[in-house]
Amino acid sequence: MLLILQRVAGGGIQWLGSSVLEFEIGRMSNPDRLRRVREMLADVSRWVQVEETDIARGEELEALGFRDFDALHLACAERGGAEVFLTTEDKLLRRAERHAGQLRVGAVNPVNWISQEEP
């Protein structure tokens, strides 16, 4: 994960953030972890604010079995034009694999993704 963040900071990778991400981070109870995560957010390249279309798309994804916030993250990633959605959540990855044909963005574990991206 550190390698990904270093590449984001160096401009080699763009990080798409969303208001869903901001909301979830705001719910963190550990102040030290919250501070570190907020510092990392300085490197977000572009922010997507949730719109009605994202909520509607999120509901479609929930109908496929994605959890509410996961569905909204995916909807924002799709509308934001993300090339890949990185997550370490195995359940989300399995569901995304099952429904890959219905998603507009691929979900990948960051460790697997970065190992494929390295020269």
Side-chain angles (χ1 to χ4, degrees):
M1 195 68 173
L2 181 59
L3 182 56
I4 293 172
L5 293 173
Q6 288 172 339
R7 289 171 97 187
V8 168
I13 297 173
Q14 289 192 353
W15 179 4
L16 179 68
S18 72
S19 52
V20 181
L21 178 63
E22 286 180 306
F23 178 80
E24 281 201 296
I25 289 168
R27 294 172 47 198
M28 289 180 169
S29 59
N30 180 316
D32 291 328
R33 185 172 185 207
L34 177 60
R35 180 188 50 75
R36 287 192 312 269
V37 170
R38 285 200 168 137
E39 287 172 3
M40 287 189 309
L41 293 180
D43 290 326
V44 170
S45 307
R46 188 165 53 94
W47 287 95
V48 173
Q49 297 301 316
V50 174
E51 296 180 358
E52 290 297 321
T53 56
D54 303 315
I55 294 169
R57 177 63 174 151
E59 290 171 354
E60 292 173 9
L61 296 172
E62 281 184 67
L64 296 175
F66 291 95
R67 294 183 319 187
D68 52 1
F69 281 109
D70 293 342
L72 279 174
H73 283 301
L74 285 165
C76 288
E78 288 178 346
R79 187 170 58 81
E83 292 179 27
V84 65
F85 180 85
L86 300 178
T87 181
T88 58
E89 294 182 36
D90 290 334
K91 187 174 181 180
L92 190 159
L93 288 166
R94 285 190 301 272
R95 192 166 307 279
E97 186 175 331
R98 278 195 303 274
H99 298 290
Q102 294 162 291
L103 296 177
R104 299 179 198 123
V105 63
V108 182
N109 181 295
V111 173
N112 297 341
W113 181 77
I114 198 67
S115 66
Q116 295 171 356
E117 290 294 309
E118 291 186 276

PDB file of all heavy atoms in Angstrom, residues 70-91:
ATOM      1  N   ASP A  70     -20.320   0.304   0.199  1.00  0.00           N
ATOM      2  CA  ASP A  70     -19.549  -0.280  -0.909  1.00  0.00           C
ATOM      3  C   ASP A  70     -20.207   0.062  -2.240  1.00  0.00           C
ATOM      4  O   ASP A  70     -19.522   0.417  -3.212  1.00  0.00           O
ATOM      5  CB  ASP A  70     -19.443  -1.802  -0.763  1.00  0.00           C
ATOM      6  CG  ASP A  70     -18.616  -2.224   0.427  1.00  0.00           C
ATOM      7  OD1 ASP A  70     -17.836  -1.399   0.947  1.00  0.00           O
ATOM      8  OD2 ASP A  70     -18.748  -3.397   0.843  1.00  0.00           O
ATOM      9  N   ALA A  71     -21.527  -0.020  -2.280  1.00  0.00           N
ATOM     10  CA  ALA A  71     -22.261   0.299  -3.507  1.00  0.00           C
ATOM     11  C   ALA A  71     -22.059   1.768  -3.900  1.00  0.00           C
ATOM     12  O   ALA A  71     -21.847   2.078  -5.078  1.00  0.00           O
ATOM     13  CB  ALA A  71     -23.747  -0.011  -3.317  1.00  0.00           C
ATOM     14  N   LEU A  72     -22.102   2.658  -2.923  1.00  0.00           N
ATOM     15  CA  LEU A  72     -21.882   4.076  -3.220  1.00  0.00           C
ATOM     16  C   LEU A  72     -20.445   4.357  -3.644  1.00  0.00           C
ATOM     17  O   LEU A  72     -20.202   5.164  -4.553  1.00  0.00           O
ATOM     18  CB  LEU A  72     -22.243   4.942  -2.012  1.00  0.00           C
ATOM     19  CG  LEU A  72     -23.720   5.238  -1.826  1.00  0.00           C
ATOM     20  CD1 LEU A  72     -23.957   5.980  -0.515  1.00  0.00           C
ATOM     21  CD2 LEU A  72     -24.277   6.036  -2.991  1.00  0.00           C
ATOM     22  N   HIS A  73     -19.474   3.713  -3.007  1.00  0.00           N
ATOM     23  CA  HIS A  73     -18.077   3.865  -3.429  1.00  0.00           C
ATOM     24  C   HIS A  73     -17.924   3.434  -4.891  1.00  0.00           C
ATOM     25  O   HIS A  73     -17.302   4.139  -5.694  1.00  0.00           O
ATOM     26  CB  HIS A  73     -17.146   2.998  -2.571  1.00  0.00           C
ATOM     27  CG  HIS A  73     -16.866   3.536  -1.214  1.00  0.00           C
ATOM     28  ND1 HIS A  73     -16.291   4.766  -0.992  1.00  0.00           N
ATOM     29  CD2 HIS A  73     -17.068   2.991   0.013  1.00  0.00           C
ATOM     30  CE1 HIS A  73     -16.152   4.965   0.309  1.00  0.00           C
ATOM     31  NE2 HIS A  73     -16.620   3.899   0.940  1.00  0.00           N
ATOM     32  N   LEU A  74     -18.488   2.292  -5.229  1.00  0.00           N
ATOM     33  CA  LEU A  74     -18.406   1.799  -6.604  1.00  0.00           C
ATOM     34  C   LEU A  74     -19.109   2.739  -7.579  1.00  0.00           C
ATOM     35  O   LEU A  74     -18.585   3.024  -8.662  1.00  0.00           O
ATOM     36  CB  LEU A  74     -18.990   0.391  -6.707  1.00  0.00           C
ATOM     37  CG  LEU A  74     -18.130  -0.721  -6.142  1.00  0.00           C
ATOM     38  CD1 LEU A  74     -18.946  -1.995  -5.951  1.00  0.00           C
ATOM     39  CD2 LEU A  74     -16.933  -0.989  -7.046  1.00  0.00           C
ATOM     40  N   ALA A  75     -20.281   3.228  -7.205  1.00  0.00           N
ATOM     41  CA  ALA A  75     -21.026   4.141  -8.076  1.00  0.00           C
ATOM     42  C   ALA A  75     -20.227   5.415  -8.345  1.00  0.00           C
ATOM     43  O   ALA A  75     -20.156   5.887  -9.486  1.00  0.00           O
ATOM     44  CB  ALA A  75     -22.382   4.470  -7.449  1.00  0.00           C
ATOM     45  N   CYS A  76     -19.601   5.949  -7.311  1.00  0.00           N
ATOM     46  CA  CYS A  76     -18.782   7.155  -7.482  1.00  0.00           C
ATOM     47  C   CYS A  76     -17.547   6.864  -8.341  1.00  0.00           C
ATOM     48  O   CYS A  76     -17.158   7.688  -9.181  1.00  0.00           O
ATOM     49  CB  CYS A  76     -18.371   7.717  -6.131  1.00  0.00           C
ATOM     50  SG  CYS A  76     -19.726   8.487  -5.222  1.00  0.00           S
ATOM     51  N   ALA A  77     -16.944   5.704  -8.130  1.00  0.00           N
ATOM     52  CA  ALA A  77     -15.780   5.325  -8.932  1.00  0.00           C
ATOM     53  C   ALA A  77     -16.171   5.193 -10.406  1.00  0.00           C
ATOM     54  O   ALA A  77     -15.438   5.642 -11.296  1.00  0.00           O
ATOM     55  CB  ALA A  77     -15.183   4.019  -8.418  1.00  0.00           C
ATOM     56  N   GLU A  78     -17.323   4.597 -10.654  1.00  0.00           N
ATOM     57  CA  GLU A  78     -17.793   4.450 -12.038  1.00  0.00           C
ATOM     58  C   GLU A  78     -18.005   5.818 -12.683  1.00  0.00           C
ATOM     59  O   GLU A  78     -17.478   6.085 -13.763  1.00  0.00           O
ATOM     60  CB  GLU A  78     -19.108   3.662 -12.067  1.00  0.00           C
ATOM     61  CG  GLU A  78     -18.961   2.198 -11.779  1.00  0.00           C
ATOM     62  CD  GLU A  78     -20.280   1.453 -11.773  1.00  0.00           C
ATOM     63  OE1 GLU A  78     -21.370   2.087 -11.727  1.00  0.00           O
ATOM     64  OE2 GLU A  78     -20.245   0.216 -11.813  1.00  0.00           O
ATOM     65  N   ARG A  79     -18.765   6.681 -12.016  1.00  0.00           N
ATOM     66  CA  ARG A  79     -19.055   7.998 -12.598  1.00  0.00           C
ATOM     67  C   ARG A  79     -17.803   8.849 -12.705  1.00  0.00           C
ATOM     68  O   ARG A  79     -17.633   9.638 -13.633  1.00  0.00           O
ATOM     69  CB  ARG A  79     -20.116   8.741 -11.780  1.00  0.00           C
ATOM     70  CG  ARG A  79     -20.551  10.051 -12.460  1.00  0.00           C
ATOM     71  CD  ARG A  79     -21.749  10.684 -11.800  1.00  0.00           C
ATOM     72  NE  ARG A  79     -21.533  10.984 -10.400  1.00  0.00           N
ATOM     73  CZ  ARG A  79     -20.891  12.068  -9.948  1.00  0.00           C
ATOM     74  NH1 ARG A  79     -20.363  12.941 -10.787  1.00  0.00           N
ATOM     75  NH2 ARG A  79     -20.761  12.268  -8.650  1.00  0.00           N
ATOM     76  N   GLY A  80     -16.877   8.671 -11.772  1.00  0.00           N
ATOM     77  CA  GLY A  80     -15.632   9.428 -11.801  1.00  0.00           C
ATOM     78  C   GLY A  80     -14.641   8.941 -12.846  1.00  0.00           C
ATOM     79  O   GLY A  80     -13.603   9.550 -13.042  1.00  0.00           O
ATOM     80  N   GLY A  81     -14.970   7.836 -13.517  1.00  0.00           N
ATOM     81  CA  GLY A  81     -14.102   7.326 -14.574  1.00  0.00           C
ATOM     82  C   GLY A  81     -12.873   6.592 -14.077  1.00  0.00           C
ATOM     83  O   GLY A  81     -11.866   6.515 -14.782  1.00  0.00           O
ATOM     84  N   ALA A  82     -12.950   6.044 -12.865  1.00  0.00           N
ATOM     85  CA  ALA A  82     -11.807   5.299 -12.330  1.00  0.00           C
ATOM     86  C   ALA A  82     -11.484   4.104 -13.217  1.00  0.00           C
ATOM     87  O   ALA A  82     -12.387   3.441 -13.734  1.00  0.00           O
ATOM     88  CB  ALA A  82     -12.116   4.825 -10.906  1.00  0.00           C
ATOM     89  N   GLU A  83     -10.217   3.842 -13.390  1.00  0.00           N
ATOM     90  CA  GLU A  83      -9.787   2.675 -14.153  1.00  0.00           C
ATOM     91  C   GLU A  83      -9.882   1.412 -13.313  1.00  0.00           C
ATOM     92  O   GLU A  83     -10.074   0.323 -13.842  1.00  0.00           O
ATOM     93  CB  GLU A  83      -8.356   2.867 -14.648  1.00  0.00           C
ATOM     94  CG  GLU A  83      -8.228   3.949 -15.689  1.00  0.00           C
ATOM     95  CD  GLU A  83      -6.793   4.132 -16.148  1.00  0.00           C
ATOM     96  OE1 GLU A  83      -6.002   3.168 -16.091  1.00  0.00           O
ATOM     97  OE2 GLU A  83      -6.467   5.253 -16.565  1.00  0.00           O
ATOM     98  N   VAL A  84      -9.702   1.572 -11.994  1.00  0.00           N
ATOM     99  CA  VAL A  84      -9.720   0.423 -11.093  1.00  0.00           C
ATOM    100  C   VAL A  84     -10.190   0.894  -9.721  1.00  0.00           C
ATOM    101  O   VAL A  84      -9.946   2.039  -9.326  1.00  0.00           O
ATOM    102  CB  VAL A  84      -8.326  -0.254 -11.022  1.00  0.00           C
ATOM    103  CG1 VAL A  84      -7.299   0.658 -10.416  1.00  0.00           C
ATOM    104  CG2 VAL A  84      -8.378  -1.571 -10.297  1.00  0.00           C
ATOM    105  N   PHE A  85     -10.868   0.015  -9.002  1.00  0.00           N
ATOM    106  CA  PHE A  85     -11.329   0.275  -7.636  1.00  0.00           C
ATOM    107  C   PHE A  85     -10.523  -0.638  -6.726  1.00  0.00           C
ATOM    108  O   PHE A  85     -10.648  -1.857  -6.804  1.00  0.00           O
ATOM    109  CB  PHE A  85     -12.829  -0.035  -7.536  1.00  0.00           C
ATOM    110  CG  PHE A  85     -13.413   0.200  -6.173  1.00  0.00           C
ATOM    111  CD1 PHE A  85     -13.849   1.458  -5.803  1.00  0.00           C
ATOM    112  CD2 PHE A  85     -13.531  -0.835  -5.264  1.00  0.00           C
ATOM    113  CE1 PHE A  85     -14.386   1.686  -4.558  1.00  0.00           C
ATOM    114  CE2 PHE A  85     -14.074  -0.621  -4.011  1.00  0.00           C
ATOM    115  CZ  PHE A  85     -14.506   0.635  -3.654  1.00  0.00           C
ATOM    116  N   LEU A  86      -9.667  -0.043  -5.895  1.00  0.00           N
ATOM    117  CA  LEU A  86      -8.799  -0.836  -5.026  1.00  0.00           C
ATOM    118  C   LEU A  86      -9.438  -1.028  -3.663  1.00  0.00           C
ATOM    119  O   LEU A  86      -9.899  -0.063  -3.045  1.00  0.00           O
ATOM    120  CB  LEU A  86      -7.442  -0.157  -4.866  1.00  0.00           C
ATOM    121  CG  LEU A  86      -6.647   0.068  -6.146  1.00  0.00           C
ATOM    122  CD1 LEU A  86      -5.341   0.787  -5.842  1.00  0.00           C
ATOM    123  CD2 LEU A  86      -6.381  -1.246  -6.854  1.00  0.00           C
ATOM    124  N   THR A  87      -9.466  -2.276  -3.206  1.00  0.00           N
ATOM    125  CA  THR A  87     -10.014  -2.594  -1.894  1.00  0.00           C
ATOM    126  C   THR A  87      -9.372  -3.861  -1.353  1.00  0.00           C
ATOM    127  O   THR A  87      -8.984  -4.741  -2.127  1.00  0.00           O
ATOM    128  CB  THR A  87     -11.541  -2.770  -1.934  1.00  0.00           C
ATOM    129  OG1 THR A  87     -12.021  -3.050  -0.603  1.00  0.00           O
ATOM    130  CG2 THR A  87     -11.963  -3.899  -2.859  1.00  0.00           C
ATOM    131  N   THR A  88      -9.288  -3.929  -0.044  1.00  0.00           N
ATOM    132  CA  THR A  88      -8.783  -5.146   0.604  1.00  0.00           C
ATOM    133  C   THR A  88      -9.929  -5.982   1.160  1.00  0.00           C
ATOM    134  O   THR A  88      -9.679  -7.012   1.774  1.00  0.00           O
ATOM    135  CB  THR A  88      -7.818  -4.795   1.753  1.00  0.00           C
ATOM    136  OG1 THR A  88      -8.506  -3.976   2.693  1.00  0.00           O
ATOM    137  CG2 THR A  88      -6.579  -4.085   1.225  1.00  0.00           C
ATOM    138  N   GLU A  89     -11.154  -5.550   0.958  1.00  0.00           N
ATOM    139  CA  GLU A  89     -12.315  -6.269   1.470  1.00  0.00           C
ATOM    140  C   GLU A  89     -12.616  -7.488   0.590  1.00  0.00           C
ATOM    141  O   GLU A  89     -13.131  -7.351  -0.520  1.00  0.00           O
ATOM    142  CB  GLU A  89     -13.526  -5.356   1.545  1.00  0.00           C
ATOM    143  CG  GLU A  89     -13.367  -4.246   2.558  1.00  0.00           C
ATOM    144  CD  GLU A  89     -14.603  -3.375   2.656  1.00  0.00           C
ATOM    145  OE1 GLU A  89     -15.732  -3.893   2.528  1.00  0.00           O
ATOM    146  OE2 GLU A  89     -14.423  -2.170   2.853  1.00  0.00           O
ATOM    147  N   ASP A  90     -12.308  -8.658   1.120  1.00  0.00           N
ATOM    148  CA  ASP A  90     -12.472  -9.898   0.345  1.00  0.00           C
ATOM    149  C   ASP A  90     -13.907 -10.135  -0.100  1.00  0.00           C
ATOM    150  O   ASP A  90     -14.147 -10.572  -1.229  1.00  0.00           O
ATOM    151  CB  ASP A  90     -11.979 -11.105   1.151  1.00  0.00           C
ATOM    152  CG  ASP A  90     -10.471 -11.107   1.315  1.00  0.00           C
ATOM    153  OD1 ASP A  90      -9.766 -10.534   0.464  1.00  0.00           O
ATOM    154  OD2 ASP A  90      -9.987 -11.688   2.306  1.00  0.00           O
ATOM    155  N   LYS A  91     -14.857  -9.852   0.763  1.00  0.00           N
ATOM    156  CA  LYS A  91     -16.266 -10.069   0.413  1.00  0.00           C
ATOM    157  C   LYS A  91     -16.668  -9.191  -0.775  1.00  0.00           C
ATOM    158  O   LYS A  91     -17.320  -9.645  -1.705  1.00  0.00           O
ATOM    159  CB  LYS A  91     -17.160  -9.789   1.625  1.00  0.00           C
ATOM    160  CG  LYS A  91     -18.600 -10.145   1.416  1.00  0.00           C
ATOM    161  CD  LYS A  91     -19.391  -9.967   2.708  1.00  0.00           C
ATOM    162  CE  LYS A  91     -20.840 -10.346   2.496  1.00  0.00           C
ATOM    163  NZ  LYS A  91     -21.634 -10.182   3.720  1.00  0.00           N
TER     164      LYS A  91
END
